[in-house]
Amino acid sequence: MSTAFLHAFGAHLPDRVVTNAEIAARLGRTPDWIESVSGIRERRWAAPETGVADLAVAAAQDCFERAGIDAPTLGLVIVASGSAPPGFPGPAAGVVALLGLEGTPAFDLPMASAGSLFGLVLASQLTERFGDVLVIGAEKMSAILDAAPLDPNTAILFGDGAGAALVSSRPGRWKILDAVLHSDGQFRDDLAFDWASPLRMNGLTVILQASRKLPSAIEEVLARQGIAAQDVTAFLLHQANQNLLVRVAKALNVPPERVFSNVARYGNTSSASMLIAAAEWSRENPAPGPVIFSAFGAGFHWGALLAQSV
Amino acid sequence: MADSTRRQRLLGILKTITDKPIPADDEESLFESGLLDSFALPDLVSALEAEFAIKVPDRDLNPRKFDSIARIETYLEEHGA
């Protein structure tokens, strides 16, 4: 791999808190049922006038502040989103415009939950050519829920938000050591959304596949670098469901507290969730050592990235 | 190995994973009956692998293959368990 470093993360969550009680009333379920099947207690929903690019820019600004840089430093911007409105251009154009960048290349990754992981891996390979690369995962999942009748099994899960990461060839806080990415399209209909009909999720297939593929990808990248899962100080995963996070910890034989979780407060924010988790984790003065980033999402696409504190 | 032994081992796994009554009809859906949910299914597959010394490949991680006692028995038989 090219030499690349993670410098800082950023996050933005809309102000409006949507509790389980509010959602349960609309779905005919109970707040306790929602928490028992997902671990989620509340999520954030953006205002109607707020778009994916707005959420992305707010996370970018937080990342700039933490990294001590300004937007013009960037050589490339990558924006992952599975909930951006259909058509073109995608939100990346809006992001660079709102950041005041003229001529800085930017592109979209129209991927849901695994989008920011794929963005990080791409960025780690592009820093020598483009310098500082900003990776953003931004989602307005409430727009998906508003686009069609609410399905209790999916409406309970999703929240809005954005996360960002600055990747550079300049030395930074975490060196990226290795990464693995995988895709398998045979289950593409088991988790899908096309704006013409409600989001489809075959929960049995999704959980069965994710509970195998997440630990498998993590073990694959760790084995390549000769690092044991027990020596990893933090696992920063896509925040899909608390029960899934616990299952991944169990499969890896690591204490569940090593798997960072904020899903109770934000729900599943799809591609944004892993970077929002990283932003919160990095604020807590984390212990030095190896760190795993991992995600699984619609497609299916999944993988893992290994970094080491410098 | 006799089918009845394999069946008893399978029923033992199901009893370990869930405390709910096992359906009397081998064709009844374990999901629709409420015996298995999305988080019990991975436990079932892992337990089958351990008990019968088989490896369920990712392409077989399809809930329909494990939807009933009859289907699980068929899967085990096809994989030499």
Side-chain angles (χ1 to χ4, degrees):
Chain A
M1 289 188 67
S2 304
T3 301
F5 297 84
L6 291 160
H7 280 244
F9 303 98
H12 173 72
L13 283 309
D15 291 335
R16 187 187 168 215
V17 176
V18 179
T19 64
N20 282 353
E22 179 179 341
I23 277 210
R26 295 171 64 181
L27 299 175
R29 303 294 174 100
T30 68
D32 288 346
W33 176 81
I34 294 173
E35 186 169 354
S36 69
V37 299
S38 67
I40 297 166
R41 290 196 291 270
E42 59 190 38
R43 72 286 292 146
R44 305 294 183 91
W45 283 2
E49 65 275 16
T50 300
V52 168
D54 300 311
L55 297 169
V57 167
Q61 299 287 8
D62 184 41
C63 187
F64 296 159
E65 186 175 322
R66 299 193 203 195
I69 67 161
D70 296 316
T73 304
L74 300 176
L76 176 67
V77 178
I78 301 172
V79 180
S81 182
S83 59
F88 57 81
V95 169
V96 288
L98 290 168
L99 289 175
L101 299 174
E102 296 180 7
T104 303
F107 64 86
D108 295 290
L109 282 180
M111 298 175 69
S113 303
S116 56
L117 176 72
F118 275 61
L120 281 186
V121 177
L122 269 175
S124 71
Q125 299 298 302
L126 295 172
T127 54
E128 290 185 6
R129 168 67 177 82
F130 292 96
D132 286 2
V133 180
L134 183 69
V135 178
I136 304 172
E139 301 286 6
K140 190 175 182 184
M141 300 302 289
S142 60
I144 287 179
L145 302 179
D146 284 344
L150 291 174
D151 173 352
N153 293 318
T154 54
I156 62 170
L157 299 174
F158 296 110
D160 301 339
L166 181 67
V167 187
S168 176
S169 56
R170 295 181 291 111
R173 288 183 69 184
W174 299 274
K175 183 179 181 182
I176 296 174
L177 300 181
D178 203 353
V180 296
L181 296 177
H182 297 288
S183 298
D184 181 352
Q186 68 176 313
F187 297 100
R188 63 192 180 280
D189 293 332
D190 284 300
L191 181 53
F193 177 68
D194 60 10
W195 294 96
S197 52
L199 186 150
R200 301 190 304 278
M201 184 172 75
N202 181 339
L204 288 165
T205 299
V206 172
I207 296 298
L208 183 58
Q209 291 280 336
S211 66
R212 287 295 194 98
K213 287 184 161 72
L214 284 166
S216 175
I218 292 169
E219 289 171 339
E220 181 183 356
V221 74
L222 287 173
R224 288 191 347 186
Q225 294 298 316
I227 296 174
Q230 292 72 31
D231 293 331
V232 174
T233 55
F235 295 84
L236 306 171
L237 271 56
H238 163 48
Q239 306 284 298
N241 184 309
Q242 182 60 31
N243 297 328
L244 179 60
L245 297 178
V246 170
R247 181 168 296 279
V248 171
K250 183 179 177 184
L252 294 170
N253 194 26
V254 299
E257 57 270 21
R258 295 261 186 97
V259 179
F260 186 92
S261 176
N262 58 17
V263 71
R265 288 177 284 130
Y266 305 138
N268 179 342
T269 57
S270 193
S271 75
S273 77
M274 189 186 74
L275 295 180
I276 294 172
E280 293 200 334
W281 164 81
S282 64
R283 273 197 188 281
E284 298 174 357
N285 194 25
V291 182
I292 283 285
F293 298 79
S294 187
F296 172 94
F300 295 130
H301 305 293
W302 72 99
L305 180 149
L306 173 64
Q308 166 79 43
S309 59
V310 175
Chain B
M1 183 175 295
D3 287 355
S4 60
T5 303
R6 184 175 63 213
R7 178 184 167 79
Q8 288 306 312
R9 293 162 71 190
L10 170 57
L11 294 179
I13 289 172
L14 289 171
K15 288 173 183 170
T16 301
I17 292 173
T18 176
D19 55 3
K20 296 171 185 168
I22 306 293
D25 181 357
D26 283 1
E27 303 289 343
E28 184 175 347
S29 168
L30 300 176
F31 306 124
E32 291 176 12
S33 69
L35 190 77
L36 295 179
D37 61 20
S38 56
F39 285 98
L41 178 58
D43 289 339
L44 169 67
V45 175
S46 296
L48 292 173
E49 290 182 323
E51 176 68 23
F52 295 100
I54 60 171
K55 172 64 179 170
V56 179
D58 280 8
R59 66 176 177 277
D60 286 350
L61 293 178
N62 185 328
R64 286 187 292 275
K65 291 182 182 291
F66 308 98
D67 188 30
S68 67
I69 290 171
R71 288 191 177 190
I72 298 171
E73 284 203 280
T74 298
Y75 186 86
L76 293 172
E77 185 174 355
E78 289 173 351
H79 290 76

